[in-house]
Amino acid sequence: MRIALLSIFAFAGIAAGAEEATGKGGDPYARLPADLKVVKGIVFKQVGETKLDLMLLLPTEKKFEKSPLVVFIHGGGFGGGDKFHVLRRDALGVARGLTQRGVTFASIEYRLANGGAATVNESVADCKDAVRFLVKHAAEYNLDPERIGTFGESAGGNLTLTTALGADRDYPCDPALDGPPGKIRCVAAYYGPVSFVDPALTKGSNFEHPERLVSILGGPLETRRELAKRLSPIELLRPDSPAIFLAHGDADKTIAPLNSTAMRDAAQAKGVPVECVVSKGAGHGFSGEGITPTIPEINQRTVDFFLKYLTSP
């Protein structure tokens, strides 16, 4: 159990720099850069007494009659983190780049798999329901429901891929948010785990230890294998899957870079458009000095990827 707890804290605690703290002890919204236009505290779902909300970062210039949308899903080891992870430098540059180009950017909360009632299955459902809520309220927020992307880092990299690639019916989504589906055209994932069932991809990561999967799956892998497959993006690929962008550090000791390169290869085999950037010298969270490409360069590649698929006919 001690190994499992250490793994959780190690995965949840990785940051790309001390300046990226989410502002505990103060108003985290005050940490948002002044050039970003924010709509706070939009509750998209309630489960019991738990209210899940999101914030919208609005386009700084109107470039589309209806704005494309990118939904950001934070990391934190599946058991930590919050929507203010958008303040991390490997996410904020993407948010700023997209809003400057007329794209609306949402950052969402989801139930955490930290030993309570929720597993990652519920986390995925919440992420999907955030997208479904925004589709249902597209007119209210001036969104184009046919031009949606998802974006996440670390655990959020897994969740963003699962949200984009998995079928809604396979997760416990809220029936109140049923309605005409939107279209997720593309998905970007930074240094996320892509499988809980392939030992080659979990080797050397926090998920190599069987006990680490209990909070994620709600039980041991041997009794939850089908669920584990539904939470493994590499198992969800189809020829008609959305375009995928992947980025990882080649020195990542938390989630092996093989996760991103294997996902790239599997997508290519299915004929799915895919790009993969491996940053030399970069650890988890793109940590490290002198990494190549740099975080700003990776962010720009990500922005260009989203614009390519969200603004094309």
Side-chain angles (χ1 to χ4, degrees), residues 19-269:
E19 74 279 12
E20 296 166 349
T22 56
K24 292 180 180 179
D27 178 9
Y29 284 106
R31 293 182 56 82
L32 288 169
D35 61 309
L36 296 178
K37 299 163 60 178
V38 61
V39 180
K40 304 177 183 179
I42 301 170
V43 176
F44 66 88
K45 180 177 181 178
Q46 183 165 347
V47 182
E49 298 300 313
T50 301
K51 293 182 179 181
L52 299 173
D53 74 343
L54 59 85
M55 62 178 168
L56 288 181
L57 304 180
L58 303 179
T60 54
E61 287 189 47
K62 184 174 181 179
K63 295 182 179 292
F64 306 95
E65 191 62 33
K66 294 181 180 179
S67 172
L69 169 69
V70 170
V71 176
F72 175 71
I73 302 171
H74 69 79
F78 298 105
D82 58 34
K83 62 181 177 290
F84 294 103
H85 275 211
V86 72
L87 296 171
R88 295 176 184 268
R89 58 184 176 177
D90 60 351
L92 186 58
V94 177
R96 179 179 277 119
L98 289 171
T99 55
Q100 289 173 348
R101 299 294 295 274
V103 177
T104 299
F105 192 94
S107 187
I108 72 169
E109 301 285 5
Y110 55 85
R111 282 173 288 172
L112 302 173
N114 53 14
T119 69
V120 174
N121 200 38
E122 283 72 39
S123 303
V124 172
D126 295 342
C127 296
K128 283 183 165 290
D129 282 340
V131 175
R132 284 157 25 101
F133 172 90
L134 290 168
V135 167
K136 197 164 189 173
H137 294 269
E140 180 179 349
Y141 298 113
N142 195 41
L143 304 173
D144 187 340
E146 297 297 309
R147 298 177 184 274
I148 299 173
T150 66
F151 171 41
E153 40 88 14
S154 200
N158 170 279
L159 293 172
T160 194
L161 289 165
T162 306
T163 296
L165 303 179
D168 291 356
R169 64 179 178 275
D170 291 335
Y171 306 89
C173 296
D174 186 349
L177 295 173
D178 289 349
K183 183 175 180 58
I184 296 178
R185 292 189 173 204
C186 49
V187 51
Y190 287 176
Y191 45 86
V194 302
S195 179
F196 297 122
V197 296
D198 184 345
L201 296 179
T202 58
K203 184 175 176 60
S205 79
N206 290 327
F207 307 106
E208 186 176 18
H209 309 291
E211 63 270 29
R212 179 64 181 91
L213 295 179
V214 173
S215 62
I216 287 174
L217 303 175
L221 176 60
E222 55 266 27
T223 65
R224 301 286 197 279
R225 189 164 292 274
E226 288 305 312
L227 173 59
K229 287 182 178 180
R230 290 200 300 275
L231 303 177
S232 299
I234 201 166
E235 303 286 336
L236 304 177
L237 283 163
R238 306 181 309 273
D240 62 346
S241 290
I244 298 170
F245 180 90
L246 303 159
H248 220 117
D250 70 355
D252 193 332
K253 304 301 183 185
T254 303
I255 300 296
L258 180 61
N259 280 263
S260 288
T261 56
M263 188 73 182
R264 174 201 62 199
D265 295 346
Q268 289 176 339

Side-chain angles (χ1 to χ4, degrees), residues 293-309:
T294 64
I295 290 176
E297 289 168 340
I298 296 168
N299 285 347
Q300 187 59 56
R301 292 269 306 260
T302 308
V303 170
D304 292 344
F305 165 82
F306 278 125
L307 291 174
K308 175 180 178 179
Y309 289 99

